[in-house]
Amino acid sequence: RNGLAQARHVDTYCILPMIDNGKDADSIAGLCKAHVETMSSTLERKERICIISDAARVEDTIDDIEESIEYYKTTASDIDSPRVLYVTPSSTTISLNGETVAGSGMYAAAAIAGIICNNNFTCGEPITGKTLADVAINDKYTREEKNQLASYGCLVLEGAEGTTIPKIRHALSTATGDYVKSEIKITKIKDVISSTLRLALDRAYINTRFLGASTISEMTTTVNTILSSFLANNDIYSYNNLVIAQDQNYPNQVNVSFRIAPAVD
């Protein structure tokens, strides 16, 4: 709780609570969910997501695997947020500085955060299908079990082409039943466009004189230029319904709205 309170003042996108052995993710996930949803609100305007996994679970027998799957399904279902990713399985092996040690799923979660926040990628870059560096898993689930986990909002890792190298099977959030909310890449596209436009418009127009139609025209040009750059990068397929207008109740406020078609995988 104290860590999340400090994180309110940090410029970040991914929140990763490190889960110790003996501590279940579900006891922490609620706090993280509330944090990222509050910070991503129109009021706070600091869009962010949380990536969480669990302390390493033992999966030596079929009973162990079935128990883990039921636990994962319940935990992900309880979180139910487009801004929280829940990574399974939770048992990993990490290679660092020439040593290999057993670890929790949070090391995989950190590697996934590195992919999502990689500045070499634009926001439309596929997250699904990426492999994780320096982390290994034992892929013990059947396709049916993986499909079950995904249907409950789990981000499932599987061995890439029969190896122990983890591959993101499908970059899903814990929000199920709504394609736009379940695809974390769509959330990222919306967040990046929102923050980019907000920064540009704040710098160019806040604390300047509002000159009516001429200011609206200049703002329209600015927004079109930025949205066109996302279009050129293939981060979105199209945008339309751009409306920029002075607020009728608050004359010192200008409202900007539009629709986008995000690039899907």
Side-chain angles (χ1 to χ4, degrees):
R1 191 188 302 271
N2 290 336
L4 290 172
Q6 293 179 48
R8 291 181 301 178
H9 308 290
V10 175
D11 183 14
T12 187
Y13 189 64
C14 290
I15 296 290
L16 293 114
M18 298 302 291
I19 309 298
D20 293 329
N21 285 330
K23 302 286 181 64
D24 290 332
D26 56 357
S27 63
I28 297 173
L31 293 172
C32 294
K33 173 183 175 179
H35 171 83
V36 296
E37 292 186 349
T38 297
M39 297 307 296
S40 302
S41 66
T42 305
L43 176 63
E44 293 295 341
R45 306 192 304 174
K46 292 182 179 179
E47 291 84 358
R48 57 187 57 177
I49 63 173
C50 173
I51 309 177
I52 195 168
S53 187
D54 251 291
R57 296 181 65 87
V58 176
E59 295 183 349
D60 294 333
T61 67
I62 292 177
D63 287 342
D64 292 339
I65 292 173
E66 290 177 348
E67 182 181 337
S68 290
I69 289 173
E70 289 306 311
Y71 171 79
Y72 294 147
K73 286 161 57 176
T74 300
T75 303
S77 181
D78 287 345
I79 297 172
D80 188 21
S81 170
R83 294 193 170 275
V84 181
L85 283 64
Y86 182 61
V87 181
T88 61
S90 64
S91 182
T92 61
T93 304
I94 311 103
S95 299
L96 294 173
N97 300 323
E99 295 187 19
T100 301
V101 295
S104 75
M106 282 310 303
Y107 289 90
I112 293 170
I115 292 170
I116 292 174
C117 294
N118 189 334
N119 288 328
N120 291 320
F121 301 142
T122 65
C123 58
E125 176 74 15
I127 302 168
T128 295
K130 291 288 192 295
T131 56
L132 312 185
D134 300 321
V135 181
I137 60 166
N138 287 320
D139 188 351
K140 297 182 177 181
Y141 304 150
T142 65
R143 284 180 58 82
E144 180 183 3
E145 289 168 339
K146 293 173 185 177
N147 289 342
Q148 283 185 26
L149 288 167
S151 70
Y152 279 80
C154 294
L155 188 157
V156 179
L157 298 174
E158 63 182 3
E161 299 177 352
T163 70
T164 59
I165 299 172
K167 180 178 75 173
I168 300 173
R169 190 171 190 254
H170 196 168
L172 295 172
S173 75
T174 52
T176 60
D178 184 326
Y179 178 79
V180 171
K181 293 181 179 180
S182 65
E183 294 280 341
I184 194 62
K185 196 184 87 167
I186 294 179
T187 296
K188 182 184 176 184
I189 289 171
K190 293 193 297 181
D191 288 346
V192 171
I193 291 177
S194 296
S195 60
T196 301
L197 280 172
R198 185 165 56 239
L199 180 61
L201 293 173
D202 282 0
R203 286 176 173 174
Y205 301 104
I206 295 299
N207 298 323
T208 66
R209 298 179 191 228
F210 179 71
L211 302 176
S214 64
T215 300
I216 294 294
S217 176
E218 291 176 8
M219 292 182 69
T220 301
T221 299
T222 300
V223 173
N224 272 317
T225 299
I226 293 173
L227 290 178
S228 294
S229 71
F230 285 102
L231 193 63
N233 286 334
N234 295 317
D235 296 324
I236 58 176
Y237 294 136
S238 63
Y239 69 92
N240 54 40
N241 293 7
L242 174 59
V243 177
I244 301 179
Q246 186 178 19
D247 193 280
Q248 293 183 351
N249 297 316
Y250 301 94
N252 62 337
Q253 175 175 312
V254 175
N255 300 322
V256 180
S257 64
F258 53 89
R259 297 179 63 85
I260 61 168
V264 299
D265 301 335

